[in-house]
Amino acid sequence: MTALPQERKLVTAIPGPKSQELSARKSAAVADGVGVTLPVYITRAGGGVVEDVDGNRLIDFGSGIAVTSVGNSAEAVVRRAGAQLADFTHTCFMVTPYEGYVEVAEALNELTPGDHAKKTALFNSGAEAVENAVKIARSYTKRPAVVVFDHGYHGRTNLTMALTAKNMPYKEGFGPFAPEVYRVPLAYGFRWLTGPENAAEEAAAQAIDMITKQIGAEHVAAIVIEPIAGEGGFIEPAKGFLPRIAQFAKDNGIVFVADEIQTGFCRTGQWFACEDEGIVPDLITTAKGIAGGLPLAAVTGRAEIMDAAHAGGLGGTYGGNPVACAAALGAIETMKEQDLPAKARRIGEIMTARLTALQEKYPAVGEVRGRGAMIAVELVEPGTTTPDAALTGAVARACHAAGLVVLTCGTYGNVLRFLPPLVIGEDLLNEGLDIIEEAFAGV
């Protein structure tokens, strides 16, 4: 297959006529609950570009929600997954196992933070990984309660909906939810009432007080937290907050679970975001960027905790599918060979500088935040912290029309988030940032 040209090209309005035809077919055939951010139907993708059925090429600042960090068709991923496809597609690891699953587990045991003995179990999706982390923590501690945080997102299954903070669209109308889930404050500096300088200390104190008084630490199996809250708005907790919570968990025999599904695999400029403050989680959940676009997820952690579940207690028909495992080994190979943590840091430097300049020009940009290639701007009514979701939507639509894939997020729907592939060229990256600037100027 010929390489996809790494340049933006618009030959029709966005979406074009062929995409509109497919949208009509989608409306007739696909459940309405499956929403679409940008209805351009893709035929090819790679590097920092996606190409649609109308021949338009768009710059990709979404990466399939942080999945295609190595690109949509990375050579090592395609090569390894293709070879595995030719050998066999499935046997079920729990029936007749294969080496690829073991190799991925060995790689994750080595790459994740901490030098303690570790083990891994593989699943299909991020929500499955989180759900199994809770199962493992409960089995290990013999305790029922799970603590999560404001603005957290952990999935769409019944248990993970309970763990997720935001109601619409993730929870609305889908209850009742799983019990024994408790939510505590997150150190969200931009919105902390007494100021960002107090957020870490005060939020940690409040969270610990609520756990101690309302639940009882001795009843808590797990504390589950994203080192940077993803869907909640790319909120980087104020420095000091995560170490304080992790220490509290350690002191009270609580399993500390880092949900690195969106932040993992080089996205934030380190292999895993919790490394930034030296956090060594007991369990770490991964998915998204793990396998170059194929469905795979994992729970990795302390061997004695991972071994707490009885034989047969963990698994699933497709968990650790051999083709997905091959793709993961290809993705990890690419991350190492191309030093994608360094690429992510470089992307972060470029984006933060450009977006900070934008903030100085447009007072609606309340905050520029994030790390590495996980950057966001929060939009507010100028001079306030009042969310401006309407402006956020308008800017996103203007970017889409100009051929740039961007995503929104945030508890209040007022955050533009940027997740370019880590292999994107700097020319494309800067062109995408030009489009964002033009979008702000035009709305």
Side-chain angles (χ1 to χ4, degrees), residues 288-300:
K288 289 192 180 288
I290 192 173
L294 274 73
L296 189 69
V299 183
T300 302

Side-chain angles (χ1 to χ4, degrees), residues 145-441:
V146 181
V147 171
V148 289
F149 293 80
D150 288 339
H151 311 288
Y153 176 85
H154 301 287
R156 297 173 183 257
T157 59
N158 186 262
L159 174 58
T160 57
M161 280 192 296
L163 303 178
T164 291
K166 189 176 180 179
N167 179 55
M168 191 67 173
Y170 306 117
K171 303 165 74 166
E172 176 68 27
F174 299 141
F177 304 113
E180 289 297 322
V181 173
Y182 301 88
R183 196 171 314 284
V184 297
L186 181 73
Y188 188 171
F190 181 69
R191 296 191 170 276
W192 200 254
L193 290 176
T194 62
E197 67 279 2
N198 299 316
E201 183 179 341
E202 292 180 2
Q206 287 180 25
I208 289 168
D209 185 66
M210 289 172 71
I211 295 167
T212 305
K213 301 294 194 301
Q214 297 182 25
I215 314 165
E218 68 275 14
H219 299 301
V220 178
I223 292 174
V224 183
I225 189 167
E226 301 163 279
I228 299 175
E231 205 70 22
F234 281 25
I235 303 159
E236 186 176 6
K239 297 296 185 193
F241 177 79
L242 285 172
R244 179 95 180 271
I245 298 297
Q247 187 61 50
F248 172 78
K250 184 177 181 180
D251 291 344
N252 288 276
I254 299 167
V255 176
F256 184 85
V257 182
D259 179 342
E260 292 251 18
I261 287 157
Q262 191 161 169
T263 55
F265 295 100
C266 314
R267 173 57 56 182
T268 64
Q270 292 161 297
W271 275 90
F272 298 97
C274 57
E275 295 176 68
D276 184 67
E277 291 187 88
I279 304 293
V280 177
D282 297 311
L283 301 179
I284 183 167
T285 60
T286 52
K288 289 192 180 288
I290 192 173
L294 274 73
L296 189 69
V299 183
T300 302
R302 297 185 183 279
E304 68 274 17
I305 299 177
M306 291 297 297
D307 283 341
H310 52 274
L314 304 177
T317 301
Y318 294 109
N321 169 270
V323 182
C325 285
L329 295 169
I332 291 168
E333 175 187 327
T334 304
M335 291 168 193
K336 288 179 175 178
E337 287 188 354
Q338 298 188 24
D339 193 2
L340 292 192
K343 292 272 183 70
R345 292 193 294 273
R346 175 63 179 157
I347 289 168
E349 289 168 5
I350 293 169
M351 295 196 85
T352 300
R354 293 282 303 269
L355 294 170
T356 301
L358 189 76
Q359 181 181 27
E360 292 168 2
K361 190 173 181 181
Y362 296 102
V365 179
E367 186 173 46
V368 177
R369 59 176 178 251
R371 289 204 308 269
M374 186 175 179
I375 302 292
V377 293
E378 178 161 359
L379 303 187
V380 294
E381 295 177 8
T384 75
T385 58
T386 303
D388 195 337
L391 176 62
T392 308
V395 172
R397 287 190 295 274
C399 289
H400 295 165
L404 176 68
V405 179
V406 297
L407 305 171
T408 60
C409 67
T411 299
Y412 311 103
N414 69 319
V415 177
L416 285 165
R417 57 171 162 173
F418 309 117
L419 292 159
L422 305 184
V423 296
I424 193 170
E426 290 190 13
D427 289 349
L428 269 184
L429 181 66
N430 277 300
E431 185 178 353
L433 289 161
D434 291 342
I435 292 170
I436 294 165
E437 290 179 6
E438 291 162 8
F440 272 92

